[in-house]
Amino acid sequence: MQNIPFRLGWLVLPLILLQLFFSGSQTPASSFKLVMPTSVLHKDSSLSRAGSSTKTWYKNSVIYTLDVEVFYDSDGDGVGDFKGLTQKLDYLKSLDVDAIWLAPFQPTPNKDDGYDISDFYGIDKRFGTFNDFSEFISEAKKQDIRILMDLVINHTSDEYSWFKASRKSKDSPYRDWYVWKSKRPANQNKGMVFPGVQKEIWTLDSLTNEYYLHRFYDFEPDLNAQNPEVVAEVEKIIKYWLKKGIAGFRLDAVPFYIEVPQTKGENFEHEYNKLVQMRNWVKEVRPDGVILGEANIEPKENMNYFGDKGQAMNMMFNFYVNQHLFYALASGEIKSLTKALEATKDIPQPVQWAQFLRNHDEVDLARLSNSQREKVYKEFGPDKNMQLYDRGIRRRIAPMLHNQKRLALAYSLLFSLPSTPVIRYGEEIGMGDDLTLKERESVRTPMQWINAPNAGFSTASKTVRPVISQGEYGYSHVNVKSQEKDPSSMLNWVRQLIHLRKSNPHIGQGDWKILDSGSPNVLVMQYQWNGSGLILIHNLDEDAQKVEIEAKDAGGDMLFDLISKRQNEANEKGLYQFDMPGYGYAWYRIGNEPVLPNKQD
């Protein structure tokens, strides 16, 4: 791989002239640069905002997720902070993201990277003050960027004052804020979230000689959501942060928050009405506020979490499609991916899926069959050190795919699936991972800004987590500054792909169906919205594929290439014919209109 490991000459992606893309040639990276037609480069707000409305703004948006701790350090103490994040808002605006999802930033002993919260109402002093936070919120608003925050209410840190009071005495007023049992539960070693690392979900506490429940680590005791006092406190927390300027929440561990604790088995009952209740709390303060749920569930459960009329969570991560997407990338076959898409298709109109390639955790493959999982392991995480919790892979997407064309394909798929795309910080420049770090910390290294000590993240002699400095993903090869100067870099490609996605609201707003491509390796999706349509084609195989689509199925006898600005007509047999190169993909608008009709839904 080259020193700059993402050259668009190698990628042959659909943001260059189409004849170069479809040629399938092995043109050296230095032989040509990214070429974008003026009409694509021009940022027309009527296009990028088309189809959005205040209450469903998320449907034609892009979400960027980051951890303040490792994004940018403004004061040289080795830890990222809100002042540093504020200084980088112009960069985030240049990506044209609509919302930033922040990892937990409240006070914490930091045994679980901030997810062990010790004060729901505070700011971790390492990240700055409330004034710093408020300034960040104010400046983000000026940039028209909404801020979402992690809402971690399934559990607290064992150092939270509530738990300290709870464990002191069985008569403590905070005793029932957590879940206690006098006898050893039968399911003590069942249902662990982190198998292989976590040994139990009930731990005997020495002070009162009773067991407390913790679905996660033993230093993260579960709150008792059956207790009305706890529920009232959760409402208070939600409204507190909304009034501070937060636009919504990424709700952590949704199934565990709404489950009814039991001492037998590992399949607990769930109280889905709690999600409707939470949604109403949000709407009381902010009608356009959102709840984005983390719920790795089967398709048959979707309506329980969205609500039959969309009255529960606004959005939910589509873990089911994500897992089958990775199998499709590993195998080159689309069958399981198309089944997963169809299985998650029917959801209420107001809600939306959120799709991602990588998040801050492992690539979870638990819902694949054993043979499918082994295929993904073999392709993307063959070493045991790359695998985690007996179900996933703890790597970033660039080193995992380690193939520029396949990486380009993966990102085109991300932006073309019926969902709101979510991008993890550093993915836009192709950052790597550090497998010497424990568990999920391998993908949580500091952002790489420039080719300078600590990648420009901090001037400290020691950073909160090591910066990747060696190998092809070291900051001398992968950093924002060098890619901003290079028109053919991954960063500039992602910027254009975001604009392409947002200029076509069909994907987030419209109706869709999968067309027969005549190949087990090529996914063809058709979108319809406001009298306009799209045809998106992706070849997941490394070998070239011939594709035929009937004009009557495509929805018209003319396709307009959104990249090369050329028309593609069906032949005399009423067929569109495409020679798709290995890992090739293309975006077409149905008809001969180069510009999207400016209609609002």
Side-chain angles (χ1 to χ4, degrees), residues 392-407:
I393 299 175
R394 62 186 203 106
R395 306 186 71 192
R396 282 236 191 203
I397 189 71
M400 190 161 37
L401 298 188
H402 206 254
N403 178 299
Q404 295 167 336
K405 291 183 179 181
R406 185 152 61 175
L407 186 57

mmCIF file of all heavy atoms in Angstrom, residues 392-407:
data_model
loop_
_atom_site.group_PDB
_atom_site.id
_atom_site.type_symbol
_atom_site.label_atom_id
_atom_site.label_comp_id
_atom_site.label_asym_id
_atom_site.label_seq_id
_atom_site.Cartn_x
_atom_site.Cartn_y
_atom_site.Cartn_z
ATOM 1 N N GLY A 392 -16.980 -11.118 17.536
ATOM 2 C CA GLY A 392 -16.718 -9.958 16.697
ATOM 3 C C GLY A 392 -15.256 -9.712 16.402
ATOM 4 O O GLY A 392 -14.368 -10.482 16.764
ATOM 5 N N ILE A 393 -15.023 -8.589 15.714
ATOM 6 C CA ILE A 393 -13.685 -8.185 15.271
ATOM 7 C C ILE A 393 -13.402 -6.786 15.784
ATOM 8 O O ILE A 393 -14.223 -5.874 15.627
ATOM 9 C CB ILE A 393 -13.587 -8.208 13.726
ATOM 10 C CG1 ILE A 393 -13.843 -9.625 13.200
ATOM 11 C CG2 ILE A 393 -12.217 -7.715 13.271
ATOM 12 C CD1 ILE A 393 -13.889 -9.710 11.698
ATOM 13 N N ARG A 394 -12.229 -6.578 16.364
ATOM 14 C CA ARG A 394 -11.882 -5.298 16.985
ATOM 15 C C ARG A 394 -10.893 -4.525 16.116
ATOM 16 O O ARG A 394 -9.829 -4.119 16.555
ATOM 17 C CB ARG A 394 -11.336 -5.521 18.387
ATOM 18 C CG ARG A 394 -10.059 -6.332 18.470
ATOM 19 C CD ARG A 394 -9.660 -6.639 19.914
ATOM 20 N NE ARG A 394 -8.236 -6.912 20.038
ATOM 21 C CZ ARG A 394 -7.354 -6.081 20.571
ATOM 22 N NH1 ARG A 394 -7.735 -4.905 21.021
ATOM 23 N NH2 ARG A 394 -6.070 -6.417 20.660
ATOM 24 N N ARG A 395 -11.286 -4.272 14.888
ATOM 25 C CA ARG A 395 -10.432 -3.563 13.940
ATOM 26 C C ARG A 395 -11.187 -2.409 13.293
ATOM 27 O O ARG A 395 -12.418 -2.404 13.241
ATOM 28 C CB ARG A 395 -9.942 -4.520 12.840
ATOM 29 C CG ARG A 395 -9.251 -5.771 13.350
ATOM 30 C CD ARG A 395 -8.683 -6.582 12.208
ATOM 31 N NE ARG A 395 -7.528 -5.916 11.609
ATOM 32 C CZ ARG A 395 -6.976 -6.278 10.456
ATOM 33 N NH1 ARG A 395 -7.506 -7.270 9.747
ATOM 34 N NH2 ARG A 395 -5.929 -5.639 9.990
ATOM 35 N N ARG A 396 -10.443 -1.453 12.779
ATOM 36 C CA ARG A 396 -11.030 -0.379 11.977
ATOM 37 C C ARG A 396 -11.255 -0.897 10.560
ATOM 38 O O ARG A 396 -10.665 -1.889 10.133
ATOM 39 C CB ARG A 396 -10.108 0.833 11.960
ATOM 40 C CG ARG A 396 -10.170 1.667 13.250
ATOM 41 C CD ARG A 396 -10.511 3.083 12.921
ATOM 42 N NE ARG A 396 -10.362 4.010 14.028
ATOM 43 C CZ ARG A 396 -11.018 5.163 14.072
ATOM 44 N NH1 ARG A 396 -11.864 5.475 13.091
ATOM 45 N NH2 ARG A 396 -10.851 6.007 15.077
ATOM 46 N N ILE A 397 -12.086 -0.177 9.819
ATOM 47 C CA ILE A 397 -12.513 -0.664 8.512
ATOM 48 C C ILE A 397 -11.393 -0.676 7.479
ATOM 49 O O ILE A 397 -11.280 -1.621 6.677
ATOM 50 C CB ILE A 397 -13.723 0.166 7.990
ATOM 51 C CG1 ILE A 397 -14.328 -0.474 6.740
ATOM 52 C CG2 ILE A 397 -13.339 1.604 7.736
ATOM 53 C CD1 ILE A 397 -15.070 -1.742 6.998
ATOM 54 N N ALA A 398 -10.506 0.319 7.471
ATOM 55 C CA ALA A 398 -9.456 0.385 6.442
ATOM 56 C C ALA A 398 -8.487 -0.789 6.520
ATOM 57 O O ALA A 398 -8.269 -1.488 5.521
ATOM 58 C CB ALA A 398 -8.718 1.713 6.512
ATOM 59 N N PRO A 399 -7.874 -1.084 7.677
ATOM 60 C CA PRO A 399 -6.992 -2.247 7.725
ATOM 61 C C PRO A 399 -7.739 -3.570 7.623
ATOM 62 O O PRO A 399 -7.175 -4.566 7.168
ATOM 63 C CB PRO A 399 -6.301 -2.106 9.091
ATOM 64 C CG PRO A 399 -7.201 -1.247 9.896
ATOM 65 C CD PRO A 399 -7.854 -0.307 8.928
ATOM 66 N N MET A 400 -8.990 -3.576 8.019
ATOM 67 C CA MET A 400 -9.774 -4.805 7.949
ATOM 68 C C MET A 400 -10.015 -5.215 6.492
ATOM 69 O O MET A 400 -9.788 -6.364 6.108
ATOM 70 C CB MET A 400 -11.107 -4.615 8.684
ATOM 71 C CG MET A 400 -11.892 -5.886 8.874
ATOM 72 S SD MET A 400 -13.151 -5.760 10.172
ATOM 73 C CE MET A 400 -13.755 -4.106 10.017
ATOM 74 N N LEU A 401 -10.449 -4.283 5.679
ATOM 75 C CA LEU A 401 -10.680 -4.591 4.259
ATOM 76 C C LEU A 401 -9.361 -4.647 3.495
ATOM 77 O O LEU A 401 -9.179 -5.459 2.596
ATOM 78 C CB LEU A 401 -11.610 -3.554 3.629
ATOM 79 C CG LEU A 401 -13.019 -3.460 4.227
ATOM 80 C CD1 LEU A 401 -13.882 -2.525 3.384
ATOM 81 C CD2 LEU A 401 -13.690 -4.815 4.336
ATOM 82 N N HIS A 402 -8.452 -3.736 3.819
ATOM 83 C CA HIS A 402 -7.093 -3.705 3.260
ATOM 84 C C HIS A 402 -7.086 -3.872 1.741
ATOM 85 O O HIS A 402 -6.248 -4.550 1.162
ATOM 86 C CB HIS A 402 -6.221 -4.781 3.912
ATOM 87 C CG HIS A 402 -4.762 -4.430 3.890
ATOM 88 N ND1 HIS A 402 -3.865 -5.026 3.044
ATOM 89 C CD2 HIS A 402 -4.053 -3.517 4.601
ATOM 90 C CE1 HIS A 402 -2.660 -4.518 3.238
ATOM 91 N NE2 HIS A 402 -2.755 -3.589 4.177
ATOM 92 N N ASN A 403 -8.042 -3.293 1.112
ATOM 93 C CA ASN A 403 -8.146 -3.320 -0.338
ATOM 94 C C ASN A 403 -8.860 -2.039 -0.729
ATOM 95 O O ASN A 403 -10.017 -1.826 -0.340
ATOM 96 C CB ASN A 403 -8.928 -4.552 -0.806
ATOM 97 C CG ASN A 403 -9.106 -4.620 -2.305
ATOM 98 O OD1 ASN A 403 -9.707 -3.728 -2.904
ATOM 99 N ND2 ASN A 403 -8.610 -5.674 -2.920
ATOM 100 N N GLN A 404 -8.202 -1.200 -1.466
ATOM 101 C CA GLN A 404 -8.740 0.129 -1.728
ATOM 102 C C GLN A 404 -10.055 0.103 -2.494
ATOM 103 O O GLN A 404 -10.973 0.874 -2.217
ATOM 104 C CB GLN A 404 -7.680 0.951 -2.466
ATOM 105 C CG GLN A 404 -6.455 1.187 -1.594
ATOM 106 C CD GLN A 404 -5.270 1.704 -2.383
ATOM 107 O OE1 GLN A 404 -5.178 1.500 -3.590
ATOM 108 N NE2 GLN A 404 -4.347 2.363 -1.707
ATOM 109 N N LYS A 405 -10.159 -0.796 -3.465
ATOM 110 C CA LYS A 405 -11.404 -0.878 -4.223
ATOM 111 C C LYS A 405 -12.549 -1.380 -3.354
ATOM 112 O O LYS A 405 -13.675 -0.880 -3.417
ATOM 113 C CB LYS A 405 -11.220 -1.790 -5.439
ATOM 114 C CG LYS A 405 -10.323 -1.229 -6.520
ATOM 115 C CD LYS A 405 -10.269 -2.175 -7.713
ATOM 116 C CE LYS A 405 -9.397 -1.618 -8.826
ATOM 117 N NZ LYS A 405 -9.351 -2.528 -9.996
ATOM 118 N N ARG A 406 -12.257 -2.378 -2.527
ATOM 119 C CA ARG A 406 -13.309 -2.918 -1.667
ATOM 120 C C ARG A 406 -13.708 -1.902 -0.600
ATOM 121 O O ARG A 406 -14.870 -1.830 -0.194
ATOM 122 C CB ARG A 406 -12.857 -4.237 -1.030
ATOM 123 C CG ARG A 406 -13.927 -4.916 -0.211
ATOM 124 C CD ARG A 406 -13.788 -6.423 -0.144
ATOM 125 N NE ARG A 406 -12.540 -6.847 0.477
ATOM 126 C CZ ARG A 406 -12.245 -8.121 0.741
ATOM 127 N NH1 ARG A 406 -13.099 -9.083 0.417
ATOM 128 N NH2 ARG A 406 -11.098 -8.442 1.301
ATOM 129 N N LEU A 407 -12.746 -1.104 -0.131
ATOM 130 C CA LEU A 407 -13.052 -0.052 0.826
ATOM 131 C C LEU A 407 -13.952 1.009 0.198
ATOM 132 O O LEU A 407 -14.906 1.488 0.816
ATOM 133 C CB LEU A 407 -11.751 0.579 1.321
ATOM 134 C CG LEU A 407 -11.844 1.615 2.442
ATOM 135 C CD1 LEU A 407 -12.539 1.045 3.658
ATOM 136 C CD2 LEU A 407 -10.448 2.118 2.801
#
